[in-house]
Amino acid sequence: MKACQGQDGALGEHECKRLFTEVDKNNNRRISIEEFMDYLFKEPASSVRADSSGRPKTLPEEALTKAVGDELKTMISMPPQILSLLELVMILVAGAAYAGIDSVKRFLGSRTWLSDLKEVRGQLEAGNIPAERIQMARQLQEAMLKDYGDERVSKSSRAAGLLWTWAKSILAQAESCAGQQSSFVDDSGKSFLGDDFSAPSVHHLEGKLLAIMRTAGFNRDAKVYEIEAKVIRAQGEKVVCPRDGKLGAAYIDSIGTRSEDVGLAEFMLSYSWGYQVGDIVDTLTSFCSSRGNQLEGCYVWMCCLCVNQHRVKEKEAAGEKVPFDTFQKLFHQRVKGTGHIIAMMAPWYDPLYIRRVWCAFELYTATALKNATVTVAMPPEEQQGFIKGLRQGSGISDLWRVLGDLDIASAEASVPDDKENILGLIEKSPGFQQFNYLVARHLQGWIVSTSEMYLKREFEVNKGESPQEAKDLVSFVMSVSELCQKLGDAQKAISWLERCLKFVEDGGHPETWAAVILRNLSTLKYDLGLKVESSALLERATSCQKTDVTDSMSLFSRADAQLKCGQLAEALIDFEQAAVLNGGKNLEELGTIFINIGSVKGQLGDFDGCEAAFKKVVEIEQARGNAQTPIVAQAFLNLGNSMAMKSQYDLAHEYFDKSMDIHMRLGTLAGSHGAKLVMNMAVTLWNAKDVEGAAEKGKQAMKMLEACGMQQSDAYMKAQQLAQKLSEQQEGTREMDELHQSLQKTIKDLEVLLLEDAISDELKTTMTGWQEQLQRASSQVMEAAQQPGVQLSGLDGLAAFVSGVQGNIRNLQQKLEAMRVSA
């Protein structure tokens, strides 16, 4: 709806045309809208004769009375249309007041209540009115009475008096009617004004919110906190809050009631007030598009728009803080009620989201609720930036850097107490490390889905037609497959590589491209334990390679093939030569070379050389500016294994813990390298005689390897062997416990017999010898039970000895009992 003031200072024609179509006089004369407007709101029209007071004489008051009365009756019979009713009442009240004023223009410029009226009507632009808004009409009416007095308005003319009386009557009926209906009704009759889950539609955000911002002097780049006062709070400044009945409402309670603008929230946006509003809108429209949702029917709860910022500011002005428990309860209800959190993380290479403690709290709440869904979303331009990085080869490195920097403990909040409370909750459960892992996994979900959408489009639409496009596509697939493999989805990685291989072969692209893809496929199959398939793929890769092996990567490929075939000495020579040829020109490649050098030296028994190579990997990654990468995690794992071979178990676990920390930060623990890490931790615990720790880690490793589809791998075989040892340990421990209990009972029985006077001293001496032997045996059994791999083998003689002693004790007990009976 347009503003109330027309070009000549009177109320605009649009409002009256919408409310009154015509006025009927005695069923034989129709009075035009213009005449009606002239009578109420304008200076006298030139075509109408006026009396000395300046009011037209040609408009019979009875006709006006009848027309207005009919209209009011119509409006009153339609409770959902309270907005129209209230607008009518406001216009009539204003018109009655105008009737006693000489100069409308002077009046419009001098009375504040009219601007209030215009403000309210502007805010009620869309949809139906909530019943609580009628309170504003009452306040406006009282303001006019204060300015002019009831008597002056009523007596300015008979028509004005009638209008004034009707206005008061209809306002009273509107208040009564509002009390009988729900607090909010949309155009389908559903009730949710003032509802805890009322939320704006994405359609409203994309259209009207941005338009309101432009009117207020902001462009779409403005941040949320920048528009809080002049847009968010200003929108509800003159609106009565339906929740507490006070002046000043939340934005959501001030934008009307049409379903295209407002509805019950299906999603909750978790975001930072430091984000640009335009980015938020783009993120949500992209989210809707990806799900096939209509913008008009997608309602998203946002704290800035759905929390009454007037009340927040009032408390701040009074020096009061909104208690943390209040916000905690509020967000918990919203997360639980919507069941779906949209976590907006932007920019992708440095998300502001993960540096704000309240964002972390919302994500924490969602993860704590079993049935809540979390979807990471970003603006389309962030998706394009990420894709560009992967195409250029830098995206994967940037990704590991971003994930490596995740640290909830360093997140900030504007209120220090909030940070302390939220971090306290997270530290208690699930803990900072586990929470960082959960955030990383959610972020990875967006990365994988974004990458796959792009790949599908490229294969199906663009098809890499030019040589450069084809090369970029192959590079992108390699990055995505690496990502999938690191995140624990080897089958998906294999699927993309196989599709890419077909693309290269069918397109007649260079065989060297095919060789790279085949080598990666071979490695993936090898990790899964599919050694025959891996070997066949490696042979194909070798046949695709150029015969003149002079560059580092070609040497690396040949060495990799030799390593898989067990030719360790030959592989080590080629790996070391590849490192020389690299010369530090490609640090990422150099780190991979040294990982393999260390692995080969370890297998050859050169533990010092092995350790030096793995430490070199850490130095290389640190030189690249990031020590939190998968290859560093692998280096620490291998260093741990090296220390375990030297029986330096404490140092081994220090390296394992460092590897674990990186995997948790990167969210890669679920991948094959994470599973191998847990497996090696279990074996080391077993060797260090920590049976309980080995059992716990062994079960975890078994589940992780199965989840990765690695049941045929060497690591899984090792896990099975450990499980067998643990089973034998448990059985042996049970048997040892039984033997120990038997020994203790026998010792006590002997102690009792030694007190019997009827037993000869010679026999007592023999029995004392038995007792001493049994006590030594009991200590040996207890010590043996604590050792890994404990079994009863070798203790058969002890068991037989105990059995013999117990037989002698039974005979003695029977003889003693017989002696007592005969006595």
Side-chain angles (χ1 to χ4, degrees):
M1 186 178 295
K2 299 177 182 177
C4 294
Q5 186 172 343
Q7 292 181 353
D8 62 350
L11 295 183
E13 295 183 8
H14 175 73
E15 291 80 13
C16 290
K17 286 183 178 179
R18 189 174 66 80
L19 293 171
F20 294 93
T21 57
E22 60 184 16
V23 179
D24 190 355
K25 176 194 173 186
N26 298 326
N27 295 321
N28 59 19
R29 179 182 184 278
R30 296 188 180 280
I31 301 176
S32 69
I33 293 295
E34 287 72 17
E35 287 180 289
F36 175 76
M37 290 172 58
D38 284 342
Y39 185 83
L40 285 181
F41 310 118
K42 290 186 178 180
E43 302 291 349
S46 58
S47 59
V48 182
R49 292 176 57 189
D51 61 19
S52 59
S53 69
R55 289 186 295 276
K57 298 194 322 184
T58 58
L59 183 60
E61 293 174 353
E62 293 77 7
L64 180 60
T65 299
K66 181 179 183 301
V68 174
D70 290 344
E71 183 67 22
L72 294 180
K73 288 178 183 177
T74 301
M75 304 314 293
I76 277 236
S77 67
M78 301 171 62
Q81 300 298 331
I82 287 198
L83 172 62
S84 299
L85 171 60
L86 184 56
E87 287 179 340
L88 176 61
V89 171
M90 286 178 163
I91 290 175
L92 295 180
V93 171
Y98 294 164
I101 303 300
D102 294 334
S103 172
V104 173
K105 291 182 180 179
R106 178 173 59 80
F107 170 77
L108 289 172
S110 64
R111 297 299 171 185
T112 58
W113 67 261
L114 182 63
S115 64
D116 292 339
L117 172 63
K118 291 163 58 180
E119 181 75 22
V120 172
R121 296 192 62 209
Q123 292 166 353
L124 303 182
E125 174 177 9
N128 302 315
I129 189 171
E132 291 81 354
R133 291 285 171 70
I134 295 176
Q135 184 175 346
M136 175 59 73
R138 176 65 72 190
Q139 292 171 348
L140 293 175
Q141 182 194 49
E142 291 172 355
M144 288 192 293
L145 283 173
K146 182 178 179 181
D147 282 345
Y148 303 109
D150 184 79
E151 184 177 357
R152 178 180 177 186
V153 174
S154 299
K155 292 184 178 180
S156 58
S157 75
R158 183 166 179 267
L162 287 172
L163 289 171
W164 182 248
T165 301
W166 281 325
K168 291 189 291 183
S169 173
I170 296 307
L171 183 53
Q173 292 182 56
E175 289 173 323
S176 174
C177 181
Q180 298 173 6
Q181 65 174 3
S182 299
S183 60
F184 183 98
V185 284
D186 70 0
D187 43 15
S188 65
K190 296 179 181 178
S191 168
F192 44 80
L193 179 76
D195 192 288
D196 288 344
F197 292 92
S198 60
S201 68
V202 178
H203 168 77
H204 175 87
L205 300 176
E206 182 188 44
K208 295 180 181 178
L209 174 61
L210 294 179
I212 294 170
M213 285 173 56
R214 287 193 296 271
T215 302
F218 297 98
N219 60 32
R220 68 193 323 273
D221 294 336
K223 296 178 174 61
V224 174
Y225 66 79
E226 292 174 336
I227 70 164
E228 188 274 332
K230 295 185 178 180
V231 174
I232 296 173
R233 262 189 294 148
Q235 187 69 17
E237 188 174 7
K238 300 295 184 180
V239 178
V240 174
C241 176
R243 293 166 174 79
D244 58 21
K246 298 178 182 179
L247 190 61
Y251 180 94
I252 189 60
D253 296 323
S254 310
I255 58 174
T257 64
R258 294 187 185 279
S259 58
E260 66 181 27
D261 294 308
V262 183
L264 292 180
E266 303 171 76
F267 309 97
M268 173 181 169
L269 181 67
S270 183
Y271 66 110
S272 166
W273 278 36
Y275 285 152
Q276 295 177 355
V277 179
D279 283 346
I280 293 175
V281 172
D282 292 343
T283 297
L284 293 176
T285 54
S286 177
F287 172 80
C288 291
S289 176
S290 67
R291 294 169 54 89
N293 290 0
Q294 295 294 321
L295 302 187
E296 294 86 347
C298 186
Y299 307 105
V300 182
W301 195 91
M302 299 171 59
C303 62
C304 67
L305 303 181
C306 300
V307 172
N308 191 335
Q309 303 302 327
H310 293 280
R311 302 297 171 264
V312 175
K313 291 298 180 182
E314 286 168 5
K315 286 186 176 293
E316 289 180 1
E320 301 177 22
K321 290 191 301 184
V322 179
F324 171 75
D325 291 345
T326 300
F327 275 128
Q328 181 183 16
K329 181 180 179 181
L330 173 69
F331 286 113
H332 185 273
Q333 288 175 340
R334 300 306 181 273
V335 173
K336 185 176 181 180
T338 60
H340 194 146
I341 300 301
I342 304 171
M344 180 179 170
M345 298 189 188
W348 81 267
Y349 54 84
D350 186 21
L352 177 62
Y353 181 95
I354 60 179
R355 299 202 302 271
R356 303 304 301 168
V357 76
W358 272 108
C359 296
F361 174 73
E362 291 163 10
L363 197 58
Y364 159 81
T365 303
T367 54
L369 295 170
K370 294 182 179 179
N371 296 326
T373 300
V374 177
T375 301
V376 171
M378 297 191 192
E381 65 178 21
E382 291 301 324
Q383 298 178 20
Q384 295 165 7
F386 170 71
I387 295 299
K388 182 179 179 181
L390 284 188
R391 287 176 66 99
Q392 294 175 347
S394 63
I396 288 291
S397 297
D398 288 340
L399 169 62
W400 301 134
R401 178 186 55 75
V402 170
L403 296 178
D405 288 342
L406 286 175
D407 184 13
I408 183 57
S410 64
E412 296 297 331
S414 55
V415 179
D417 287 350
D418 289 350
K419 177 179 179 179
E420 182 179 347
N421 288 324
I422 291 171
L423 293 185
L425 285 173
I426 295 173
E427 185 177 21
K428 184 177 180 180
S429 177
F432 293 146
Q433 186 185 59
Q434 181 65 21
F435 188 78
N436 289 335
Y437 177 74
L438 292 172
V439 174
R441 293 296 286 180
H442 287 308
L443 187 55
Q444 290 162 3
W446 174 85
I447 288 168
V448 171
S449 63
T450 299
S451 301
E452 290 190 321
M453 282 193 298
Y454 171 79
L455 279 178
K456 289 175 182 177
R457 185 174 65 250
E458 287 296 296
F459 276 122
E460 295 170 4
V461 181
N462 297 332
K463 302 179 180 179
E465 295 180 352
S466 72
Q468 186 59 49
E469 287 176 341
K471 184 177 180 181
D472 288 346
L473 182 56
V474 171
S475 176
F476 193 91
V477 172
M478 300 299 291
S479 295
V480 173
S481 66
E482 177 190 346
L483 182 60
C484 292
Q485 187 264 338
K486 291 287 194 302
L487 300 183
D489 198 340
Q491 292 300 333
K492 184 176 286 186
I494 289 171
S495 175
W496 281 116
L497 287 173
E498 288 176 342
R499 186 169 183 177
C500 189
L501 180 62
K502 186 176 186 305
F503 166 77
V504 169
E505 291 177 338
D506 290 351
H509 297 295
E511 287 190 331
T512 52
W513 296 6
V516 173
I517 298 170
L518 288 164
R519 280 199 306 273
N520 281 271
L521 278 169
S522 172
T523 299
L524 286 169
K525 297 281 187 178
Y526 189 87
D527 281 346
L528 294 174
L530 307 174
K531 295 183 179 179
V532 175
E533 293 182 40
S534 174
S535 179
L537 289 165
L538 198 57
E539 288 182 12
R540 288 178 60 189
T542 303
S543 67
C544 292
Q545 288 177 202
K546 56 186 180 182
T547 56
D548 183 18
V549 181
T550 57
D551 62 281
S552 60
M553 281 313 295
S554 296
L555 272 170
F556 177 88
S557 298
R558 189 170 72 182
D560 186 49
Q562 293 164 342
L563 177 61
K564 287 184 172 67
C565 294
Q567 301 171 1
L568 300 181
E570 294 85 348
L572 181 58
I573 292 172
D574 277 351
F575 279 134
E576 289 181 332
Q577 184 59 31
V580 172
L581 289 175
N582 179 285
K585 291 176 288 188
N586 186 329
L587 291 179
E588 184 175 5
E589 175 188 302
L590 187 61
T592 303
I593 294 172
F594 271 100
I595 277 286
N596 284 273
I597 290 174
S599 178
V600 174
K601 286 188 174 182
Q603 293 180 62
L604 291 172
D606 181 4
F607 298 128
D608 290 338
C610 162
E611 184 179 344
F614 294 141
K615 288 182 176 179
K616 181 68 174 177
V617 174
V618 177
E619 292 175 8
I620 290 170
E621 290 300 298
Q622 288 175 337
R624 295 178 63 203
N626 187 12
Q628 306 284 337
T629 60
I631 196 170
V632 175
Q634 187 177 350
F636 283 136
L637 165 60
N638 292 340
L639 280 166
N641 289 335
S642 179
M643 295 302 104
M645 290 177 187
K646 297 179 180 181
S647 298
Q648 298 178 14
Y649 299 122
D650 289 342
L651 189 55
H653 284 299
E654 285 184 22
Y655 282 123
F656 289 151
D657 288 343
K658 288 180 179 180
S659 181
M660 175 68 73
D661 183 65
I662 293 175
H663 279 300
M664 292 294 283
R665 280 179 176 271
L666 302 182
T668 54
L669 187 63
S672 60
H673 289 297
K676 290 177 183 177
L677 166 63
V678 177
M679 183 66 253
N680 281 276
M681 293 175 78
V683 172
T684 302
L685 288 167
W686 170 265
N687 292 334
K689 302 180 182 180
D690 183 350
V691 178
E692 291 185 5
E696 180 183 351
K697 289 295 182 185
K699 290 179 182 177
Q700 182 184 356
M702 186 81 78
K703 291 180 180 179
M704 293 172 70
L705 290 164
E706 290 172 354
C708 291
M710 299 175 66
Q711 289 90 329
Q712 300 182 56
S713 67
D714 292 341
Y716 194 76
M717 291 177 60
K718 192 182 292 185
Q720 288 179 314
Q721 291 169 359
L722 179 60
Q724 179 62 32
K725 290 179 181 179
L726 287 166
S727 177
E728 293 171 356
Q729 171 75 22
Q730 291 171 348
E731 179 62 22
T733 299
R734 184 186 63 77
E735 293 176 346
M736 283 290 190
D737 286 342
E738 291 177 355
L739 178 58
H740 182 260
Q741 291 174 10
S742 179
L743 283 165
Q744 290 298 308
K745 183 179 183 304
T746 305
I747 291 170
K748 288 181 179 180
D749 289 343
L750 285 170
E751 289 176 352
V752 172
L753 289 173
L754 285 170
L755 298 175
E756 293 288 344
D757 294 335
I759 297 176
S760 66
D761 291 341
E762 183 180 355
L763 184 55
K764 283 185 177 181
T765 300
T766 301
M767 291 169 60
T768 301
W770 292 346
Q771 189 180 37
E772 291 173 353
Q773 291 181 52
L774 291 171
Q775 287 173 338
R776 287 194 298 272
S778 178
S779 298
Q780 291 173 356
V781 168
M782 284 294 293
E783 183 178 349
Q786 304 302 316
Q787 304 300 316
V790 63
Q791 298 181 41
L792 280 178
S793 57
L795 297 177
D796 292 341
L798 175 59
F801 171 69
V802 173
S803 179
V805 171
Q806 290 173 338
N808 290 330
I809 290 173
R810 283 193 296 273
N811 290 334
L812 284 170
Q813 289 171 336
Q814 289 171 0
K815 289 179 180 180
L816 289 170
E817 183 63 24
M819 291 171 63
R820 292 190 187 97
V821 171
S822 62

